[in-house]
Amino acid sequence: MAQQEQWKSKIGFILATAGSAIGLGAIWKFPYVAGTGGGGAFFFLFITFTLVLGMPLLMGEFLIGRKGQTNPIDTYRKLASNPKWGFIGKMGVFTSFILLSFYSVVGGWIILYIVKIVTGGLSVQNDEQYMHLFEDIISNPFSTVIAQFTFMLIAILVVSQGIQKGIEVASKIMMPALLILFIGLVIRSLSLDGAMEGVKFLLVPDFSKLTSESILFALGQSFFTLSLGVSVMVTYASYLPKTQNIPKSAISIILLNTIIALMAGLAIFPGVFAFELEPNAGPVLIFAVLPAVFNHMPFGMVLFLAFLILFLFAALTSAFSMVEIIVASVTKSDATKRKKYTWLTGILIFIVGIPSCLSYGVLSDVKFFNKTVFDLMDFTVSNILMPLGALLIAVFVSRFVSKDVLYSELKQGSNIGNIFFSIWFVLLKYVTPIAIIIVFLDVVGLFKWIVNVFN
Ligand code: PFF
């Protein structure tokens, strides 16, 4: 069997996993699903799900990944001593594939915005025109498909270099730069007139605004931003040396990811209220609001360009992890096959993603279950495949891997005690699966419905 590569440094692993986590989910999707899902109440739920469900699951994925030291499909087979369990890994590969097919579309939009700024196309617009500009940009079938291809090309070029030379080096530069720029952006947004209204919208919960759909979205969102339920974290942890402290790494990643989501919200909602835009504008939100926020400041377009470049990096580091799980599974960690299969995977994903790309333009009328191809893919991945994957992983780790194996794996690199282990185990064995099932099946909605019928 081929020798498994390893991360070169502890911080390299944290930044690469944080890089997988932080991406379109925290920066682009979080503000708009929070905007449509009820603002503060959504944020509260998102944080709760992240801590109570996301944290145990992330640790679970890390533990089995490092224990397995191989690709995700074989990890499940090996740890359960039963080849049948490989299907969880296969499902992760499939989910990643579909996910990246539409994720790369949004990555392409960022590239198009960058090109627009460099060619001077953004600076002449006034605030209201940004919305139309965005719609014009994403409905052009040629440029969007070329941009989507460019995004995939960068991902292919980096992942084909392997994890140390490609993913680790790229993440080490991009992640800290993103954090610094975000801090500046939040300060700027908070100084806008009427900023407090946006802050209130994001942070003060009004639970009457929650619906069962927004609860499902909050759950999907917390898994989506942490890249959970897809076995991507299992894959990244398989390159971990035994000296890494797993609980500490999980906490750092969750903190970083939550801070970025919070900062994205704080950068956007003050602008939404200051410029009288709609918080529930949907996917357009970040692309229409941020240019307006930047436009009103000195060197605004230069800073917006810097932001977009880092935003692109954040999306790319997430894309790397999606390609990596597929490549690791197909090549079975044989480095000689990496280049060929990275290219093959990348090109196939691009082709499958073309209808999603066109669904904002020429295919906008093609709908299934009342959703465009893009929305259907997103809904299937974020609200069905990822929670289902998360459920299976929680059940697998807590019921099919020996408790002793988990405990001794957790102890390596950390001096965590028995109590921490027991709390983690109970959360993973009971709380995570039950919560996912409740949200999934809308048990609460069903209950209300039954009560209504009998009243
Ligand atoms: N966590 C990424 C983001 O928030 O953009 C998306 C993601 C990456 C989800 C990898 C799942 C995954 F396996």
Side-chain angles (χ1 to χ4, degrees):
M1 194 184 183
Q3 176 65 35
Q4 180 91 344
E5 251 193 290
Q6 281 206 337
W7 301 105
K8 209 161 142 196
S9 62
K10 288 189 180 176
I11 189 73
F13 165 73
I14 297 202
L15 292 178
T17 27
S20 166
I22 298 166
L24 297 178
I27 304 172
W28 165 72
K29 206 168 175 200
F30 171 74
Y32 90 74
V33 285
T36 27
F42 184 92
F43 186 60
F44 176 85
L45 268 187
F46 168 71
I47 298 282
T48 311
F49 285 147
T50 299
L51 292 178
V52 182
L53 313 180
M55 166 82 186
L57 207 61
L58 182 59
M59 271 182 51
E61 289 206 21
F62 280 171
L63 282 178
I64 59 167
R66 189 174 67 178
K67 178 75 197 159
Q69 296 281 313
T70 179
N71 70 79
I73 301 178
D74 288 336
T75 294
Y76 292 103
R77 289 179 176 152
K78 196 164 143 183
L79 293 185
S81 309
N82 183 342
K84 271 201 227 140
W85 284 98
F87 84 92
I88 303 183
K90 288 184 190 159
M91 199 173 122
V93 170
F94 176 73
T95 306
S96 265
F97 190 97
I98 302 295
L99 171 55
L100 191 51
S101 76
F102 68 84
Y103 200 92
S104 54
V105 173
V106 185
W109 297 347
I110 308 174
I111 295 178
L112 290 178
Y113 259 66
I114 293 176
V115 173
K116 251 313 199 230
I117 291 198
V118 174
T119 55
L122 271 189
S123 52
V124 291
Q125 308 290 324
N126 64 34
D127 294 346
E128 294 90 66
Q129 280 177 297
Y130 283 120
M131 186 78 104
H132 302 296
L133 179 74
F134 176 74
E135 277 156 14
D136 281 350
I137 289 180
I138 65 170
S139 58
N140 183 321
F142 299 106
S143 52
T144 46
V145 171
I146 292 173
Q148 181 200 0
F149 178 74
T150 312
F151 182 87
M152 283 309 304
L153 192 64
I154 304 173
I156 292 171
L157 290 174
V158 173
V159 177
S160 62
Q161 292 300 309
I163 63 149
Q164 263 190 21
K165 268 197 284 167
I167 301 176
E168 187 165 349
V169 170
S171 306
K172 265 187 174 165
I173 304 168
M174 295 172 190
M175 283 294 123
L178 180 72
L179 211 62
I180 293 169
L181 201 82
F182 245 121
I183 295 174
L185 187 57
V186 170
I187 295 175
R188 163 69 200 153
S189 273
L190 291 179
S191 66
L192 289 169
D193 279 344
M196 272 335 270
E197 221 180 312
V199 176
K200 267 196 216 146
F201 175 81
L202 178 68
L203 299 182
V204 180
D206 170 2
F207 291 105
S208 65
K209 283 191 187 156
L210 285 181
T211 58
S212 30
E213 195 182 50
S214 58
I215 299 174
L216 176 63
F217 271 80
L219 179 81
Q221 180 63 18
S222 58
F223 291 154
F224 189 91
T225 53
L226 286 173
S227 311
L228 292 174
V230 188
S231 304
V232 154
M233 294 306 191
V234 176
T235 313
Y236 270 20
S238 73
Y239 307 125
L240 261 186
K242 298 282 182 190
T243 48
Q244 185 99 5
N245 185 325
I246 285 188
K248 228 175 167 178
S249 309
I251 292 171
S252 318
I253 291 153
I254 287 189
L255 258 179
L256 277 173
N257 188 54
T258 311
I259 289 173
I260 292 276
L262 179 66
M263 291 209 285
L266 288 176
I268 288 177
F269 289 113
V272 170
F273 285 88
F275 305 127
E276 295 176 2
L277 299 161
E278 291 298 326
N280 58 359
V284 60
L285 201 60
I286 189 165
F287 291 99
V289 175
L290 284 189
V293 174
F294 279 105
N295 203 13
H296 288 265
M297 57 202 279
F299 305 110
M301 281 303 132
V302 178
L303 289 175
F304 188 40
L305 179 63
F307 171 80
L308 285 173
I309 292 174
L310 293 175
F311 184 24
L312 177 65
F313 283 166
L316 279 168
T317 48
S318 302
F320 299 161
S321 67
M322 297 177 222
V323 181
E324 180 61 31
I325 175 182
I326 305 173
V327 172
S329 302
V330 182
T331 61
K332 299 212 175 281
S333 312
D334 179 350
T336 57
K337 294 186 183 155
R338 175 174 278 272
K339 270 213 167 69
K340 180 172 147 201
Y341 283 99
T342 309
W343 277 95
L344 201 66
T345 306
I347 301 284
L348 273 177
I349 291 177
F350 161 68
I351 295 171
V352 171
I354 292 177
S356 293
C357 186
L358 298 180
S359 76
Y360 279 93
V362 286
L363 296 186
S364 63
D365 289 332
V366 177
K367 294 202 172 156
F368 303 91
F369 309 105
N370 218 5
K371 289 186 179 346
T372 62
V373 180
F374 184 103
D375 290 342
L376 184 71
M377 296 281 185
D378 184 12
F379 185 86
T380 310
V381 166
S382 312
N383 298 335
I384 298 176
L385 288 174
M386 289 182 76
L388 188 63
L391 174 67
L392 288 169
I393 294 174
V395 170
F396 177 83
V397 177
S398 60
R399 291 170 195 268
F400 291 89
V401 182
S402 126
K403 220 171 159 179
D404 294 339
V405 167
L406 293 171
Y407 188 59
S408 72
E409 192 60 42
L410 183 77
K411 286 294 259 184
Q412 302 202 42
S414 83
N415 48 10
I416 248 30
N418 234 328
I419 299 183
F420 180 93
F421 178 79
S422 305
I423 297 175
W424 168 74
F425 195 75
V426 168
L427 283 173
L428 198 68
K429 187 164 180 180
Y430 301 103
V431 181
T432 309
I434 292 172
I436 296 175
I437 291 171
I438 289 180
V439 179
F440 223 6
L441 299 181
D442 191 11
V443 176
V444 179
L446 200 66
F447 182 72
K448 279 189 193 155
W449 182 78
I450 293 172
V451 170
N452 268 339
V453 169
F454 284 100
N455 266 340

